Amino acid sequence: MRIKSLIAALAALVVSSSAFAQDDITTLWNKAAAAVNAKNYAEAVVALEATLEAAYNADNFEMAEKAQKLIPNCYFRIGLSKVNSDPNAALVDLYKADEIAMLYNDAKTSRNAKNAISKVYKMLGAKSYNGKDYAAAVEVFAKGYEANPQDTELALYLATSYCELKDFENGVKVYTDIIALEKRHSKFAEPAAKAKADLSNYLLVKAQEEFGAANKEAAYATLETLIGADPTNATSQMYRLQKAAEMQDWDNVIAWSELALGVMTTPEQLSDVYYLVAVAYDSKNENQLAVDNYNLVIEGDKLAPAKARAAE
């Protein structure tokens, strides 16, 4: 009889403790919810984390899930509140928000946190960038780019900073990644166009300097990088053909002409390419192919010499 009484007492104690735990969880949740509604996110996150721990201990997974849904956004809001007053402290909370959001499969908050992180780094790097201290700018912008490579404004600043430092390897990589985003969504069309233009400017100048230093192979490699990143760049295609012709690299003129013809948009541009190809075949004593290409020249300042040569 005593044993039965003891078992009954223990069972009652377990039930009582469980009920107390559930009441405690509810109290914590209500406190957290009130703080969230009042936008007191610092207080809310403390109560939510306590709710989460208590809920897990009590195997109350429904309440644990409710707490999980709110915790990442609280850290995000805390971080946002510090951006102007203490951006470095803001970053700590924003990284925390992203980390927990990914852990809890909260894609929206993770995306928001990443956007905020890159914006903070843009703010922190702006003074160095505007003052042309590109080494310092790279150090800051690279962190933001790592967190959010789809922040194309920051990415363009970073790529420019790399190229100004003559770090073309990293600059080209970032520009190329920006250009590639255009295939994912039309909203990236404008920054992709800017990336193409900036990349072209930097690499054409680099190639010109390499040609000027009699480093032909390096210049050709630079132009190959540019054309690989943006095959539609008619300027780089034509420049490469002209330099190859100037250096009498006739095989390269012929080999590169097909790709160039595919991006020329006017009869005059096409005629300029055909003329260079004709000169290449002419110089290789392949007369019929030379004549065939001279006859394709129909406009521009190469028309008269092309007709004259074809008639010989």
Side-chain angles (χ1 to χ4, degrees):
M1 189 70 178
R2 291 179 180 176
I3 293 175
K4 289 182 179 180
S5 299
L6 179 59
I7 292 173
L10 288 172
L13 179 61
V14 169
V15 171
S16 175
S17 297
S18 177
F20 176 79
Q22 297 302 332
D23 288 344
D24 190 41
I25 293 168
T26 301
T27 300
L28 288 169
W29 169 255
N30 289 338
K31 180 180 179 181
V36 170
N37 290 333
K39 298 183 179 181
N40 186 346
Y41 298 108
E43 181 180 323
V45 80
V46 172
L48 285 167
E49 289 178 339
T51 302
L52 180 62
E53 182 179 4
Y56 272 133
N57 290 337
D59 292 335
N60 187 337
F61 300 115
E62 181 181 355
M63 188 64 79
E65 185 176 353
K66 288 173 68 175
Q68 285 177 350
K69 288 180 179 179
L70 296 180
I71 291 173
N73 189 57
C74 285
Y75 275 111
F76 172 67
R77 296 295 176 180
I78 293 168
L80 283 186
S81 71
K82 299 176 182 178
V83 167
N84 293 322
S85 60
D86 191 348
N88 287 308
L91 285 170
V92 173
D93 291 308
L94 292 171
Y95 274 115
K96 183 78 170 178
D98 182 33
E99 177 186 357
I100 297 176
M102 289 192 292
L103 180 65
Y104 295 159
N105 297 314
D106 183 351
K108 180 180 178 180
T109 301
S110 175
R111 183 170 59 252
N112 289 339
K114 285 179 170 66
N115 287 336
I117 288 167
S118 62
K119 286 178 182 178
V120 172
Y121 279 118
K122 270 189 294 189
M123 181 177 71
L124 292 174
K127 182 176 181 180
S128 296
Y129 181 84
N130 292 331
K132 298 185 177 182
D133 184 354
Y134 295 112
V138 160
E139 186 176 349
V140 176
F141 290 149
K143 295 175 184 177
Y145 183 69
E146 182 181 8
N148 184 18
Q150 292 191 20
D151 185 337
T152 51
E153 183 180 23
L154 179 143
L156 286 166
Y157 291 151
L158 176 61
T160 297
S161 299
Y162 277 131
C163 288
E164 288 293 331
L165 292 169
K166 307 297 183 184
D167 182 353
F168 293 106
E169 181 179 356
N170 281 310
V172 168
K173 184 180 184 308
V174 177
Y175 277 131
T176 303
D177 288 345
I178 298 169
I179 294 168
L181 288 173
E182 186 177 13
K183 296 178 181 178
R184 297 179 59 178
H185 197 285
S186 59
K187 70 180 181 180
F188 296 114
E190 185 175 341
K194 179 73 165 62
K196 290 176 183 178
D198 289 354
L199 179 61
S200 178
N201 290 336
Y202 278 115
L203 292 191
L204 283 174
V205 169
K206 182 175 184 286
Q208 289 168 359
E209 292 173 350
E210 289 163 342
F211 279 126
N215 194 347
K216 179 181 70 173
E217 296 307 320
Y220 282 162
T222 296
L223 292 172
E224 182 66 28
T225 297
L226 173 55
I227 293 167
D230 181 16
T232 65
N233 190 319
T235 300
S236 61
Q237 299 265 16
M238 181 60 74
Y239 180 67
R240 181 168 69 166
L241 286 178
Q242 290 171 336
K243 294 304 293 186
E246 179 184 318
M247 298 184 178
Q248 299 184 11
D249 290 336
W250 306 123
D251 288 337
N252 281 334
V253 172
I254 295 166
W256 293 333
S257 63
E258 184 176 355
L259 186 61
L261 287 168
V263 300
M264 300 303 161
T265 57
T266 68
E268 185 171 353
Q269 288 178 329
L270 290 166
S271 293
D272 286 344
V273 175
Y274 284 126
Y275 184 79
L276 291 174
V277 174
V279 170
Y281 281 123
D282 211 352
S283 301
K284 289 167 63 70
N285 295 318
E286 297 185 37
N287 297 333
Q288 188 56 55
L289 288 171
V291 170
D292 290 345
N293 281 276
Y294 281 131
N295 286 331
L296 292 172
V297 179
I298 59 173
E299 284 195 22
D301 58 3
K302 302 297 189 299
L303 178 58
K307 281 187 173 182
R309 184 60 177 153
E312 292 180 6

